[in-house]
Amino acid sequence: MSVSVIIKWGGQEYSISSLSEEDTVMDLKQSIKSLTGVLPERQKLLGLKIKGKPAEDEVKLGSLKLKPNTKIMMMGTREESLEDVLAPPPDNDDVVNDFDIEEEVIEVENREENLAKIARRVKDYKVEELNPPREGKRLLVLDVDYTLFDHKSCAETGQELMRPFLHEFLTSAYENYDIVIWCNCVSPYVQELGVTDNPSYKITFMLDSGAMITVHTPKRGVVEIRPFMKAHLNREKDRELSKLAQYLKEIAKLEDFSGLNHKHWERYLSKRQQH
């Protein structure tokens, strides 16, 4: 039987359908090399496991029980691109900041068709609880892409793309909030971040795109409503999560969040620190 997979790398998707169950992981890597130029020894395929361990090169693809068109995230860099890895990633025009469409969201949030979409999601989406919610804790939902992890830049390992102070941020947030992680494709990113087994905090559950809805706005057409995302410009200088941890500590003192405008969180934090 044939094996078809989709490789996600560098913000692109590469479809491979020329392999069979008798081919090996190395054969898959060679196919990836022909599409991306990344040498097999520099490839790290996230989520490709057998019996809970990363699949070795000699493992046959048939033993991995891959579903058709399984998406696999690859870490790795072309030889000629290694010097570019440490450079800041380019601005991404396709990233939509939810705060930019705030007024439009207010206009459409109560439309009948959108309420119907939400009702269907609530009915059909199944949440798999990893750790029980704690009484009296607020819920903090974090988007992986561009908040916790730069998923489009090339690197040798996922750790290079992990946002600075991630684990310190989650440890601090866990004191006052139960934590939920959202990602379009949860497993590869989350496994690489190492957030599900950290002894300093616990993840309550994870969400994927099945929990989201789309809305139509006059300005932007179809927009996926997601949490705030902002790609890090330079891992050596980025202190965003460190500052955000302080903001979450400050607002945790409040009884009611309805008067907050998170768009101006830095302004709020600055005022509090001046007192």
Side-chain angles (χ1 to χ4, degrees), residues 9 36-38 76-87 154-156:
W9 175 75
T36 66
V38 179
T77 309
R78 298 189 187 99
E79 292 293 313
E80 63 269 25
S81 301
L82 288 176
E83 293 183 359
D84 298 330
V85 171
L86 297 179
C154 301
E156 286 295 290

Side-chain angles (χ1 to χ4, degrees), residues 44-86:
K44 182 175 182 180
L45 304 178
L46 305 185
L48 205 63
K49 294 187 175 184
I50 183 169
K51 296 182 179 180
K53 297 181 179 180
E56 300 291 340
D57 288 345
E58 65 273 11
V59 171
K60 291 186 177 181
L61 298 179
S63 64
L64 300 177
K65 308 297 182 184
L66 298 173
K67 295 181 180 179
N69 295 318
T70 292
K71 291 190 176 183
I72 301 171
M73 182 180 176
M74 181 185 76
M75 294 291 178
T77 309
R78 298 189 187 99
E79 292 293 313
E80 63 269 25
S81 301
L82 288 176
E83 293 183 359
D84 298 330
V85 171
L86 297 179

Side-chain angles (χ1 to χ4, degrees), residues 103-258:
E103 297 302 320
E104 297 176 31
V105 172
I106 292 174
E107 294 175 5
V108 302
E109 65 181 359
N110 290 318
R111 288 181 181 174
E112 184 176 348
E113 64 269 26
N114 294 333
L115 292 175
K117 289 181 181 180
I118 292 172
R120 286 196 296 271
R121 289 293 188 274
V122 172
K123 178 183 178 181
D124 298 335
Y125 190 82
K126 304 300 182 185
V127 173
E128 296 184 10
E129 189 177 281
L130 301 178
N131 293 286
R134 297 168 296 164
E135 186 174 353
K137 300 296 183 182
R138 270 89 172 229
L139 194 65
L140 175 65
V141 181
L142 298 167
D143 185 12
V144 168
D145 301 342
Y146 295 117
T147 302
L148 308 182
F149 190 88
D150 179 6
H151 75 295
K152 281 195 173 181
S153 295
C154 301
E156 286 295 290
T157 69
Q159 296 298 313
E160 294 179 48
L161 302 181
M162 182 175 71
R163 196 162 198 168
F165 304 103
L166 171 62
H167 295 300
E168 293 88 344
F169 166 73
L170 293 177
T171 298
S172 175
Y174 187 66
E175 295 176 7
N176 298 296
Y177 304 86
D178 283 335
I179 301 172
V180 171
I181 289 182
W182 184 92
C183 183
N184 187 48
C185 181
V186 169
S187 294
Y189 295 120
V190 175
Q191 289 176 5
E192 191 68 17
L193 293 173
V195 299
T196 56
D197 56 0
N198 193 291
S200 299
Y201 56 83
K202 295 181 179 179
I203 305 301
T204 303
F205 57 88
M206 293 184 285
L207 299 173
D208 58 23
S209 58
M212 301 293 116
I213 71 167
T214 58
V215 299
H216 184 275
T217 67
K219 181 180 178 181
R220 296 185 183 271
V222 175
V223 178
E224 292 189 358
I225 303 304
R226 301 178 179 175
F228 168 65
M229 31 181 163
K230 181 181 180 183
H232 68 276
L233 300 178
N234 189 312
R235 70 175 64 88
E236 300 299 326
K237 298 178 181 179
D238 190 294
R239 298 293 183 271
E240 201 78 2
L241 291 184
S242 181
K243 294 186 293 182
L244 188 57
Q246 299 174 47
Y247 172 69
L248 292 175
K249 278 184 177 293
E250 285 293 333
I251 66 174
K253 304 171 185 177
L254 303 176
E255 292 292 331
D256 184 6
F257 285 180
S258 61

